[in-house]
């Protein structure tokens, strides 16, 4: 590994001091003179025709400046299939449908006005189960598509299918086949800072959106389309306040943002809409529930021969970018472990449930739960230790997977071995002779994720501008964003390293589309890799400019010069070394040919956007990992306690080990919540638990100290060898825990969360398989 | 923001508080730590004409320990109980119940009396107090009356407090004899939870080594926190054996009026009663070093 | 609307605010005094993002009636750093141990930690977890926060 000054160091997050002193400004804290407060009236019905909307009483509330509905505003269509509108006309399809909105001088007035809006409905049939929604006689959630073309059923017209090799031949060559159905429900991001925005028009009709989006550039495009729909020709600027958590929740634009735009335009004043916690739960889009069917087989030695996965996703009533998650689910489906023959098919179905979106992992947690639980079942059929099963099939550097992914660096095997070693797998697994009500077991699961961007959009690029002042201070304008993960710090480290200056010299500016270049967004664990490469390339260009000039000053070829410790260093003659600032000023204030050093670079990874057959290479490199967990299951209560948790990740190279650990630890806790405690409970489309008391994200008292194992494979394509790490940490948690529960007590649970009731029920049903609840029948 | 339109009063003596409540009439709601009241105001479930804050009434504060037992001012906070080592030693089930409520921030303001007056079926402290035969002193404005906690609850979120009345004190006699007690709330995570089912047990042995007093109390097992007398009777007068505890637990499980809801399934709540009553006694040391005696 | 004038100390300074009976302390701090360090994360006392100290005890400002702040000493996150702006040892430990990500929970988390360390100078890990359990964090998974509080406790006890 090359010697570095700041890359690889545990540099504290650069905005840490601001955050611990409470000075950071989130959208909640931002006020603009003249600002009004917007509030949304949501549907009272899950599926109905809107007969009438009476806003007359709302308009009379003192302080109210505007009440809008779909009937007095232009239609703004949005979403991946443009099947959603900012305000609903004629028809509601889910409880969170926006029917009207108010702008008022105080939040209280806006709330009061919303309460006074009267809507008359005519109920329509609704459908909540995706399988039922696929039946021919099911009520249609949408009668037409966005263009008005009739839809004959609730199936989304999305071609999520890939096949490679010969699955039939693979199956015929199999000595063992395991088959299973797995089910995961809704979970949601639970950003501590709720969603919100402020829309503000200037007198020329230019819009500034103060936002907390994860996709400033794409959001800008979306808002421009909205202005067009409103008949406006203004420019759009997106300015981000600090973001109180992202996790994929802000990867799309939402109705409340368009409503703020409509209200701001109507009133001629800035309008702020910030969600309260209940809205954050019911009016933002959760991770999709999925039912997955897996079949996979292997030969007599346990080498995988084929894998077939089909799934049904509950899309909800409208379609967000989250509907593309199957294009990422395909990746582990076809390429986690070496499987020659694969088939994957995903069906997204409209229902009258809340519509879904992306969440950390982008589909891979769902499909990995199915694959990795099923792999343990297959190993058992073969009679192999699941560890051995995994080692026999682990991915290797240099392979091209059946779907066409080019595996470059790959620490898969090493991650598995590290987990086995640290968990004392050989001794801990299959412990015989356990007595008493508490039984221990170990389980593991692996992951594969995009580690070098993901070309899901037409461009997976990111731009960076760098300028240097007369004193060696560097401004870096990146298209990417910090959402708490530490991009601000990582970019500083990369640029400081390249320009040989201290990180305190480097200032990173993000989150303003007027100033910062384009970037596709903070998602797909791509920012360190893509924005990092972009910044690295721009910094190299600046470095080369400086060295070129310094070479002329020193009469030395630039090849023997370098930037280190705030100096231009001459490798062959240290007496020629010059302070960087001196070189910079000499260039700027020269008698002739004055120059300052600056550069811009747009980095577009050399990858394929998958369409049609969905074959190709959509990431520059792939992230690998393995989690191992030891659990203690209380056989009388079904409670699962995590005793030890090891998370091994191939991260390429850790640019900042402390922030990296924070990503892994935080993701694992989110993964443990997914596995054990979190569930959104919908009844007939209505969310029953829109609060932190009943939606159970884990607390400090529940926190599991994760033992992180950083496997460095130094990816040649990554900045200083780095790969992405934002999402991988939560991908294999649930299957690792489910597999450990099986090892401890011998029951397989195919449905998340693995809550105590489910574990205990499974144990009871095994004891007394007769009744629907076995031994529990005695209660009558 | 909470619903508006009410006045807010801060009396500084019990007499003043009672007079205010009498003057303001039935539209006035007494409030202590406000953690429940404020949430209900915000949700629009409560629209009082006036709030009468009892926070600054000295007669309602303080935790008094005597040789006969414990007297809790109604406005003693859960954190005061949590931080009190004497309570932890002599009334461990109450200590466990109060220490597990909400978060430290909530326990710092939420009062034990407020928890009782809110009368939620899930009230942790109520189960803890039921185990110790707590008695409620109610100030009526013209005098006071004492009501056993078993008779204090009138239904979900309802008590026997009449208009203008204030719960002033909760009195707990010290159990006479060797006692094993504990409280367990069944929750999905380890903090910031309401119990899916709350389970408390106390056994006090007489000089003859037999069970002199048994108390089994449950939360979320009926319209109010309640005692399960049949289960208690199974234990009383007998040696404390594991078999007896298991049978008492079975009786309690059968007697509990648990329900299916999206927060939890009835069978599981019942099953936890079965499992945890013996465990609570076990964890309290009921059989420690006594296996030979049995 | 009826207003009640309350007088109290915020971060050592006198404050006088005319409040409506239905206001909570969080509104007074954020809207009237522009101390926006305390956040509203849930408005129901379930997340701890609005944690402040009232007479040294951690409370959820969203459930604290503003009227009841009359006569109290309130500490917000803005009141922790020293006069020259140097960070309080708890704040410094949060930065240095990687306990801060998105930062929305951080002010409340820091104040819960302060209330604990003022009461229990060298708490056990379990005591730290108990004290912080009412402060939800979705980013960090808590481990580095717990370590930061341990480090701060050691430094403050030296």
């Amino acid at each position: 590994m090359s010697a570095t000054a700041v890359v690889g160091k545990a540099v504290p997050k650069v905005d840490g001091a601001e955050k611990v002193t409470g000075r950071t400004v989130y959208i909640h804290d931002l006020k603009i003179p003249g600002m009004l407060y917007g509030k949304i009236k949501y549907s009272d019905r899950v599926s109905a025709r809107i007969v009438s909307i009476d806003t007359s009483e709302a308009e009379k509330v003192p302080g109210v400046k505007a009440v809008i509905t779909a009937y007095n505003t232009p239609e703004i269509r949005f979403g991946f299939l443009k099947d959603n509108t900012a305000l609903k006309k004629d028809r509601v399809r889910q409880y969170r449908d926006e029917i009207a909105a108010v702008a008022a001088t105080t939040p209280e007035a806006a709330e009061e006005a919303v309460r006074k809006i009267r809507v008359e409905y005519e109920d329509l049939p609704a459908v909540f189960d995706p399988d039922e929604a696929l039946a021919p006689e099911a009520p249609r959630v949408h009668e037409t598509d966005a263009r008005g073309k009739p839809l004959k059923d609730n199936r989304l017209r999305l071609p999520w299918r890939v096949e490679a090799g010969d699955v039939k031949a693979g199956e015929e060559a199999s000595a063992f086949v395991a088959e299973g159905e797995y089910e995961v429900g809704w979970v949601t991001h639970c950003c501590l800072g709720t969603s919100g925005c402020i829309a503000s028009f200037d007198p020329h009709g230019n819009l500034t959106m103060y936002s907390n989006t994860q996709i400033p550039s794409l959001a800008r495009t979306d808002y421009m389309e909205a202005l067009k729909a409103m008949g406006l020709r203004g420019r759009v600027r997106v300015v981000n306040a600090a973001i109180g958590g992202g996790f994929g929740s802000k990867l799309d634009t939402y109705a409340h943002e368009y409503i703020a735009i409509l209200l701001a335009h109507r009133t001629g004043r800035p309008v702020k809409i910030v969600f309260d916690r209940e809205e954050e739960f019911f009016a933002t889009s959760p991770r999709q529930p999925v039912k997955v069917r897996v079949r996979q087989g292997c030969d007599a030695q346990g080498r995988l021969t084929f894998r077939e996965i089909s799934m049904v996703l509950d899309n909800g009533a409208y379609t967000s970018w989250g509907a593309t998650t199957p294009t990422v689910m395909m990746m582990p489906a076809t390429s986690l472990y070496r499987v020659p023959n694969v088939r994957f098919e995903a069906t997204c179905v409209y229902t009258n449930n809340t519509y879904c979106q992306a969440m950390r992992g982008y589909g891979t947690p769902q499909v990995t739960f199915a694959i990795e639980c099923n792999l343990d079942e297959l190993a058992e059929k073969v009679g192999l230790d699941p560890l051995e099963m995994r080692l026999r099939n682990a991915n290797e550097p240099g392979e091209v997977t059946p779907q066409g992914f080019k595996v470059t660096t790959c620490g898969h095997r090493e991650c598995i071995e590290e987990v086995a070693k640290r968990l004392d797998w050989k001794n801990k697994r299959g412990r015989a002779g356990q007595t008493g009500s508490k039984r221990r077991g170990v389980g593991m699961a692996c992951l594969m994720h995009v580690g070098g961007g993901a070309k899901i959009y037409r461009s997976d690029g990111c731009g960076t501008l760098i300028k240097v002042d007369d004193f060696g201070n560097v401004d870096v304008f990146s298209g990417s964003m910090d959402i708490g993960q530490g991009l601000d710090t990582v970019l500083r480290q990369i640029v400081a390293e390249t320009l040989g200056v201290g990180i305190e010299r480097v200032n990173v500016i993000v989150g303003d589309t007027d100033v910062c270049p384009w970037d596709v967004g903070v998602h797909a664990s791509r920012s360190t890799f893509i924005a990092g490469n972009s910044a690295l390339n721009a910094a190299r260009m600046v470095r080369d400019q400086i060295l070129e000039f310094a070479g002329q000053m020193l009469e030395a070829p630039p090849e023997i010069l370098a930037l280190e410790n705030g100096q231009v260093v001459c490798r062959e003659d240290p007496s020629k070394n010059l302070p960087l600032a001196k070189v910079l000023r000499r260039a700027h204030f020269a008698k002739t040919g004055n120059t300052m050093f600056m550069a811009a670079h747009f980095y577009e990874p050399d990858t394929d956007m998958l369409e049609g057959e969905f074959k190709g290479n959509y990431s520059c490199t792939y992230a690998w990992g393995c989690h191992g967990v030891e659990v203690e299951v209380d056989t009388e209560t079904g409670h699962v306690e995590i005793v030890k948790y090891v998370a091994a990740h191939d991260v390429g190279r850790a640019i900042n080990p402390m922030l990296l650990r924070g990503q892994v630890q935080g993701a694992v806790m989110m993964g443990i919540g997914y596995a054990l405690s979190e569930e959104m409970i919908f009844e007939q489309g209505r969310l029953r638990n829109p609060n932190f008391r009943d939606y159970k994200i884990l607390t400090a008292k529940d926190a599991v100290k994760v033992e992180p194992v950083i496997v460095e494979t130094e990816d040649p394509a990554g900045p200083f060898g780095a790969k992405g790490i934002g999402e991988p940490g939560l991908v294999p948690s649930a299957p690792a825990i489910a597999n450990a529960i099986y090892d401890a007590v011998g029951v397989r649970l195919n449905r998340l969360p693995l809550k105590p009731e489910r574990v205990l029920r499974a144990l009871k049903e095994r004891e007394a398989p007769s009744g629907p609840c076995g031994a529990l029948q005695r209660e009558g | 923001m909470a619903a508006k339109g009410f006045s807010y009063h801060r009396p500084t003596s019990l007499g003043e508080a009672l007079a205010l409540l009498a003057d303001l009439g039935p539209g006035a709601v007494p409030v202590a730590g406000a953690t429940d009241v404020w949430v209900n105001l915000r949700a629009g479930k409560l629209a009082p004409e006036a709030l009468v804050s009892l926070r600054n009434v000295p007669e309602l504060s303080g935790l008094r320990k005597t040789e006969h037992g414990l007297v809790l001012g109604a406005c003693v906070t859960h954190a005061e109980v949590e931080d009190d080592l004497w309570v932890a030693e002599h009334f461990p089930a109450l200590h466990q119940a109060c220490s597990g409520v909400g978060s430290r921030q909530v326990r710092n303001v939420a009062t034990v009396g407020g928890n009782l007056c809110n009368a939620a079926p899930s009230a942790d402290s109520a189960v803890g107090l039921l185990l110790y035969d707590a008695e409620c002193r109610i100030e009526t404005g013209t005098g006071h009356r004492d009501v056993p906690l078993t008779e204090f609850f009138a239904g979900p979120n309802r008590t026997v407090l009449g208009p203008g009345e204030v719960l002033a004190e909760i009195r707990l006699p010290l159990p006479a004899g060797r006692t094993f007690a504990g409280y367990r709330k069944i929750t999905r995570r380890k903090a910031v939870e309401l119990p899916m089912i709350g389970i408390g047990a106390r056994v006090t042995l007489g000089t003859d080594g037999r069970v002199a007093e048994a108390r089994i109390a449950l939360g979320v097992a009926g319209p109010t926190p309640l005692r399960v007398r049949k289960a208690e009777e199974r234990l009383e007068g007998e040696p404390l054996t594991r078999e007896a505890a298991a049978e008492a637990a079975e009786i309690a499980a059968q007697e509990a009026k648990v329900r299916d809801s999206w927060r939890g399934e009835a069978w599981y709540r019942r099953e936890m009663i079965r499992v945890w009553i013996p465990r609570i006694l076990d964890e309290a040391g009921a059989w420690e070093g006594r296996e030979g005696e049995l | 609307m009826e207003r009640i004038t309350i007088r109290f100390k915020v971060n050592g300074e006198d404050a006088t605010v005319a409040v409506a009976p239905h206001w909570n302390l969080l509104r007074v701090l954020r809207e009237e005094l522009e101390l926006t360090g305390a956040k509203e994360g849930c408005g129901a006392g379930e997340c701890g993002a609005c944690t402040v100290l009232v007479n040294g005890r951690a409370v959820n400002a969203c459930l604290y009636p503003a009227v009841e702040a009359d006569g109290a000493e309130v500490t917000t996150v803005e009141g922790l750093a020293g006069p020259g702006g140097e960070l309080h040892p708890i704040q410094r430990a949060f930065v240095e141990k990687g306990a801060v990500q998105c930062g929305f929970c951080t002010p409340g988390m820091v104040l819960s930690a302060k209330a604990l360390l003022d009461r229990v100078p060298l708490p056990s890990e379990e005591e730290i977890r108990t004290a912080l359990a009412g402060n939800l964090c979705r980013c960090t998974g808590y481990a580095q926060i717990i370590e930061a509080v341990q480090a701060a406790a050691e430094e403050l006890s030296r």
Side-chain angles (χ1 to χ4, degrees), chain B residues 67-87:
Chain B
E67 57 194 290
H68 305 296
L70 174 65
V71 181
L72 294 170
C75 287
V76 163
T77 63
H78 289 76
E80 284 176 79
V81 176
E82 180 183 15
D83 293 345
D84 196 299
L85 296 176
W86 187 85
V87 174

Side-chain angles (χ1 to χ4, degrees), chain B residues 88-131:
Chain B
E89 187 187 339
H90 294 92
F91 297 94
L94 175 65
H95 182 259
Q96 289 159 13
C98 289
S99 304
V101 166
S103 61
R104 181 72 191 184
Q105 292 93 315
V106 168
R107 295 193 295 277
N108 273 337
V109 288
T111 66
V112 175
N115 198 222
L116 296 183
C117 293
N118 190 50
S122 58
D124 292 301
S125 68
V127 177
L129 290 167
L130 282 170
L131 295 176

Side-chain angles (χ1 to χ4, degrees), chain A residues 19-20 26 28-29 31 108 188-189 192 277 484 658 661-663 665-666 678 693 698-701 703, chain C residues 27 30-31 39 41 46 77 87 91 96 101-104 126 129-130 138-144 147:
Chain A
K19 284 177 169 169
V20 295
Y26 300 84
H28 315 72
D29 309 320
K31 278 186 183 169
E108 287 93 338
T188 188
H189 314 80
L192 262 284
R277 179 55 56 189
M658 183 167 78
R661 183 184 159 212
Q663 287 300 299
Q665 170 76 35
E678 295 179 30
R693 188 181 62 195
L698 297 172
T699 72
K701 233 170 148 64
Chain C
R27 171 174 177 152
R30 287 181 56 86
E31 305 295 326
K39 307 297 178 197
E46 290 161 0
V77 75
L87 300 182
Q91 293 174 314
E96 286 171 1
Q101 288 189 31
C102 91
F104 204 83
E126 201 47 41
R129 287 168 175 261
T130 300
R138 192 57 154 167
C139 295
T140 65
Y142 304 105
Q144 283 153 301
E147 288 163 17

Side-chain angles (χ1 to χ4, degrees), chain A residues 562-678:
Chain A
L563 296 178
E564 282 169 18
N565 297 321
Q567 293 204 311
V568 175
V569 172
C570 180
R571 297 209 188 283
E572 291 179 2
D573 182 1
S575 71
K576 286 188 168 176
N577 291 3
L578 274 176
L580 172 63
K582 200 166 181 178
V583 177
L584 297 172
R585 284 198 288 274
R586 180 75 69 86
H588 188 183
F589 304 118
K591 288 206 174 62
T592 58
N594 309 44
T595 190
M596 289 186 82
F597 300 111
M598 56 180 75
H601 180 77
F602 184 78
Y603 173 78
E604 181 72 43
D606 180 18
T607 48
D608 308 319
M609 175 146 176
L610 306 192
E611 284 165 312
E613 291 198 332
F614 285 95
K615 286 182 190 159
N617 188 45
Y618 60 37
S619 185
C620 290
T621 184
Y622 297 86
W624 308 90
C626 180
H627 288 195
V629 59
E630 180 177 0
V631 299
E632 183 174 273
V633 181
D634 187 328
T635 56
E636 292 175 351
T637 66
H639 177 80
V640 176
E641 186 74 25
I642 291 173
V643 179
K644 189 175 170 74
Y645 199 111
V646 182
H649 287 274
D650 168 6
V651 301
R653 179 168 182 196
I655 304 265
N656 185 323
M658 183 167 78
L659 299 185
L660 174 66
R661 183 184 159 212
Q663 287 300 299
V664 173
Q665 170 76 35
V668 169
M669 276 311 286
M670 201 179 260
I672 293 173
Y674 189 40
L676 296 179
S677 68
E678 295 179 30

